[in-house]
Amino acid sequence: MSALLLYFADERAAAERLAATAGLPCAEIERHRFPDDELRLRLPLAAGEALADTLVLYRSLDRPNEKLVELLLVAGEARRLGARRLLLVAPYLAYMRQDIAFHPGEVVSQQVVGRFLAERFDAVLTVDPHLHRIETLAEAIPHGAAVSLSGAPLLAELIASKVANPLLIGPDAESRQWIEAAAAGHGFDFGVCSKVRHGDRQVDIALPALAVQGRAVVLLDDVASSGRTLARAAELLLAAGAASVDAAVTHALFAADALEIIRAAGVREVWSSDCIVHPSNAVSVAPLLAGALAQLGVGTAGEGNPD
Ligand SMILES: O=P(O)(O)OC[C@H]1O[C@H](OP(=O)(O)OP(=O)(O)O)[C@H](O)[C@@H]1O
C-alpha cells in the first residue's frame, strides 16, 4: 500500500519532520493566491501519475478561515481523482471552542466544522483539541474519524530538561487533565487555578492553596491565544513569591500582542510544541503523530525504523 504526505510550503519543516519520523514520502502542494483572494492549488502529480493509495494531508488549522477552504479544495480534488483513503493531520484543530449556541441562532461552529472534516477525511488526527462541554472529540467529529492525542508527556519531558524541581501550575480547571498527565510521569508537584472568563481578553484567576514561595513555576496549558490567561496567572504567582515563572503550551496561537503581554507579566521563558509553527517551538510532536499514523497502518514508525 503506497502512502504520500502532502503539505503546504509554510509548514514544510514540521511536515518533513513528521514524514521522516513516519517513514513516509512527502511532497508540497503548490499554492497561488489570485488578486481577488481566490486560491489556485496544485497537487504534486505528474501527467498520468496515479494517486497513492493513502494521502495524508498535513495542515494545522491556526488561521483557519482560509485553511478550511484549502481542505475543501484539496479533499474535493483528491476524491475526484479517485483517492481511496484520505487522512488529515491537523495538529491544531480550529473552531472547537464554540460548542454551544449562547444566543438563539448562534452557529455551533464546533459541530459544523467537525462534520465538514468527517465528511471529507477518513481520519482526522489532532493534538490536545480544546473541548469544553463535550468529553470526546468523537462528539464533534463523527463517523469514527477522530483521533485525539495528548501533547502533555512531550511537554513534560521538555520541562524536565529545562527546569529543576518545577512546580507545574494549570491556569484553569480544564487544564487539570494535562497537568496531571504531565506531572505523573516525572513526579512534579502541581496545582490548578480557577478561572472566570469575562471576555476575549479578560480573565479572573484565583491561585490554588499551595506554597509557591521560592518555587520555579511552570505554567502549562493547551493553548495561548490573547495571552491573558498566562499573563494573569504569572502576575499572581510572582506576587505570591514564585522565584520564576516559565510557560509551556501545546498550541502557540499568540494572537496580536500576546507575547508582549506575557513577557510584561514577568514570564521568563515561553515554550511550545510545533503543532503551530512559531518561534517559541521547542518540542516536536512528530513522534506522537507518527505513532498514531502507524496505528492506522500508515508509515513505518510502528516498525522500529523511524528514519
Ligand atoms: O490566551 P487566552 O486568550 O487567555 O486563551 C487561552 C485560554 O483559553 C482557553 O480556555 P478558555 O478560557 O476558553 O476556557 P473555556 O473553554 O473553559 O471557556 C485555553 O484553555 C486557555 O486557558
Side-chain angles (χ1 to χ4, degrees):
M1 291 283 280
S2 61
L4 176 67
L5 186 143
L6 300 175
Y7 62 86
F8 287 85
D10 60 318
E11 292 173 341
R12 180 184 297 129
E16 285 182 346
R17 277 194 292 276
L18 173 57
T21 310
L24 288 172
C26 63
E28 190 170 311
I29 296 172
E30 201 179 287
R31 180 186 192 277
H32 173 76
R33 187 211 291 254
F34 292 106
D36 63 0
D37 275 354
E38 287 188 4
L39 298 174
R40 182 190 68 213
L41 306 180
R42 179 165 174 253
L43 303 186
L45 278 178
E49 185 185 345
L51 280 182
D53 295 315
T54 298
L55 288 178
V56 180
L57 175 60
Y58 185 97
R59 203 57 173 144
S60 202
L61 293 176
D62 54 307
R63 298 171 288 116
N65 297 339
E66 195 164 287
K67 289 182 171 186
L68 286 171
V69 174
E70 292 171 354
L71 300 191
L72 175 74
L73 297 174
V74 171
E77 183 60 15
R79 294 293 188 197
R80 196 182 70 80
L81 292 173
R84 274 183 277 177
R85 195 169 183 219
L86 197 49
L87 311 182
L88 174 66
V89 173
Y92 177 69
L93 203 52
Y95 282 112
M96 290 297 107
R97 288 159 88 175
Q98 181 81 22
D99 57 0
I100 192 173
F102 293 95
H103 304 284
E106 216 168 69
V107 175
V108 183
S109 320
Q110 182 195 70
Q111 292 293 313
V112 175
V113 171
R115 282 199 308 276
F116 170 88
L117 297 176
E119 283 160 8
R120 282 161 184 81
F121 296 94
D122 299 299
V124 178
L125 283 69
T126 193
V127 182
D128 293 342
H130 187 90
L131 305 177
H132 189 187
R133 279 157 288 257
I134 65 168
E135 297 216 334
T136 65
L137 189 61
E139 293 167 63
I141 301 180
H143 313 320
V147 179
S148 177
L149 305 164
S150 170
L154 288 171
L155 287 171
E157 275 173 43
L158 173 79
I159 292 165
S161 74
K162 301 276 190 188
V163 183
N165 191 26
L167 170 61
L168 284 197
I169 295 288
D172 57 21
E174 242 164 359
S175 65
R176 178 172 291 281
Q177 49 188 307
W178 42 87
I179 290 289
E180 285 183 348
H186 296 268
F188 297 148
D189 295 335
F190 68 93
V192 175
C193 304
S194 55
K195 179 174 89 181
V196 179
R197 180 173 284 284
H198 299 291
D200 291 350
R201 291 180 175 74
Q202 218 186 342
V203 294
D204 274 340
I205 288 181
L207 295 182
L210 265 180
V212 302
Q213 186 88 28
R215 296 297 305 265
V217 174
V218 180
L219 285 164
L220 180 59
D221 209 353
D222 60 340
V223 54
S225 177
S226 74
R228 267 49 175 197
T229 295
L230 292 180
R232 187 68 195 126
E235 283 166 0
L236 293 170
L237 287 160
L238 289 167
S244 60
V245 177
D246 301 310
V249 294
T250 306
H251 302 297
L253 283 175
F254 296 122
D257 59 354
L259 267 181
E260 291 85 67
I261 298 278
I262 290 167
R263 299 236 184 263
V267 174
R268 187 175 62 174
E269 298 283 345
V270 179
W271 303 297
S272 64
S273 83
D274 63 352
C275 283
I276 294 173
V277 176
H278 188 268
S280 62
N281 290 171
V283 63
S284 169
V285 293
L288 191 63
L289 294 167
L293 284 172
Q295 289 202 347
L296 296 170
V298 180
T300 59
E303 296 167 16
N305 180 24
D307 297 318

